[in-house]
Amino acid sequence: MLTTLSQSSLQDYVDCARRFQLRYLERLSYPAVESEPALENEKHQREGEYFHRLVQQYLVGVPNDQISKLANSANLQRWWENFLVASDLRGLAPLRSASGVLRKDLEGLYPEATLSAPLGKYRLLAKYDLIAIENGKATIYDWKTYHKRPRNEWLAARMQTRVYRALLVQAGTHLNNGQAFAPEQIEMVYWFSDFPNDPARFTYTSAQYKRDWELLAKLAEDIHSASSHPLTDDRTKCTYCPYRSYCDRGVRAGDMDQAEAEMESEELFDVNFEQIGEIAF
Ligand code: SF4
């Protein structure tokens, strides 16, 4: 029985109720590769996951030169160098000493934080790449290894942007001396490893929070009471969907070059991040 919801499962439900059913209720593994060439796609996913681990190691104080040795592919090296010099991330630098070792007053930095809160009959769960708290402001960082820089409008509408900010208000009291964050204290930053100086920033307001939480509660209610899970009418959603063969909507996935032209395909990387296990160092 499904007991938790996440930004990925909610996004699937919004995109296609049938996909939500197959992935989260029937727990079907992927019957078709997501895109061609599949190997290239999988390599990018693995590198993206590995990059997240490198940043996590950095944030918990592993010295830079040790981490650099682990960036052992052209993509990883480029992303890692971009991360180290990104002007937007220099705000994290004072949290480390000159030698790269974390200072003792690091209670404001929470890499890989997991928050959850009740949402209707479910728990809403989110794993954050980083929550950084400084001077009464909470910044949510999310690292993206997308091939292309998505439009801000597309990102703003994603369930991740809504869930991560709203859940920090709902479930972040222990990060704010026992008081709930006001939405106005929260900002979400998507940092793109191939576009290091063009992050997407989303501030938050009480009106947006109210709208988001009402939407999330309504989705949870819809999911709980749904008696059917219809296929989406928007067939463009099927082009890169791994469940095409179940829906009679094609067997061969879209070509990767074409996928890159459509930012919606990038969501598949995110979904897979959640499904890939921790990489041991
Ligand atoms: S192939 Fe299309 S209809 Fe079927 S689950 Fe995927 S998105 Fe939904």
Side-chain angles (χ1 to χ4, degrees):
M1 198 181 80
L2 188 68
T3 55
T4 61
L5 294 172
S6 68
Q7 56 99 0
S8 296
S9 61
L10 288 165
Q11 188 69 55
D12 271 334
Y13 189 78
V14 169
D15 287 345
C16 175
R18 170 73 168 158
R19 189 194 291 169
F20 174 89
Q21 178 193 32
L22 293 172
R23 183 172 275 162
Y24 296 98
L25 301 181
E26 299 190 6
R27 297 183 182 277
L28 290 183
S29 55
Y30 294 165
V33 292
E34 288 180 356
S35 61
E36 303 286 355
L39 286 178
E40 190 55 36
N41 190 13
E42 280 173 22
K43 178 169 172 276
H44 187 94
Q45 290 178 24
R46 274 200 309 277
E47 288 181 321
E49 175 68 10
Y50 204 80
F51 175 72
H52 279 67
R53 299 283 86 79
L54 297 185
V55 174
Q56 183 199 16
Q57 298 292 299
Y58 170 88
L59 292 169
V60 299
V62 176
N64 292 358
D65 55 347
Q66 279 187 33
I67 301 175
S68 296
K69 287 183 199 146
L70 298 169
N72 55 7
S73 74
N75 278 340
L76 281 167
Q77 265 174 25
R78 187 178 66 255
W79 296 340
W80 178 240
E81 281 163 18
N82 285 344
F83 179 84
L84 289 179
V85 300
S87 57
D88 199 65
L89 300 178
R90 291 209 188 110
L92 301 179
L95 296 166
R96 304 168 68 91
S97 70
S99 63
V101 176
L102 287 194
R103 287 170 18 194
K104 291 208 172 89
D105 54 347
L106 257 187
E107 59 272 16
L109 202 62
Y110 300 91
E112 307 261 322
T114 299
L115 299 183
S116 73
L119 182 69
K121 301 267 196 276
Y122 303 96
R123 273 201 91 73
L124 179 64
L125 193 100
K127 188 172 170 191
Y128 297 74
D129 286 343
L130 173 67
I131 301 172
I133 297 165
E134 203 175 8
N135 300 327
K137 184 183 165 192
T139 307
I140 299 163
Y141 288 95
D142 197 77
W143 324 122
K144 295 291 191 202
T145 54
Y146 291 162
H147 291 93
K148 293 202 168 183
R149 165 69 161 86
R151 289 176 297 113
N152 282 7
E153 295 76 16
W154 182 82
L155 286 164
R158 301 294 294 165
M159 293 308 296
Q160 183 176 15
T161 311
R162 296 174 173 220
V163 165
Y164 278 35
R165 292 178 303 176
L167 192 57
L168 184 54
V169 175
Q170 277 283 324
T173 53
H174 61 293
L175 306 179
N176 191 38
N177 301 319
Q179 283 199 332
F181 283 108
E184 286 75 10
Q185 290 175 275
I186 291 173
E187 183 175 32
M188 180 154 186
V189 177
Y190 290 102
W191 182 79
F192 307 99
S193 55
D194 266 324
F195 309 90
N197 292 316
D198 190 18
R201 314 186 76 101
F202 297 97
T203 54
Y204 212 29
T205 66
S206 297
Q208 286 175 315
Y209 166 66
K210 184 170 179 295
R211 176 206 65 186
D212 285 346
W213 200 257
E214 284 173 1
L215 171 77
L216 295 172
K218 163 115 183 25
L219 283 172
E221 177 57 36
D222 288 353
I223 288 169
H224 183 69
S225 59
S227 56
S228 66
H229 296 88
L231 282 60
T232 178
D233 292 333
D234 179 1
R235 284 176 172 259
T236 62
K237 297 265 187 262
C238 307
T239 312
Y240 308 104
C241 176
Y243 299 105
R244 291 177 308 283
S245 55
Y246 282 96
C247 305
D248 215 8
R249 290 198 172 176
V251 174
R252 189 178 180 276
D255 183 81
M256 192 60 198
D257 290 341
Q258 195 183 339
E260 282 199 40
E262 300 181 26
M263 284 320 305
E264 283 74 7
S265 67
E266 301 286 15
E267 75 196 73
L268 295 172
F269 292 127
D270 286 346
V271 168
N272 282 332
F273 284 154
E274 290 197 354
Q275 292 166 345
I276 293 171
E278 298 284 305
I279 294 174
F281 276 83

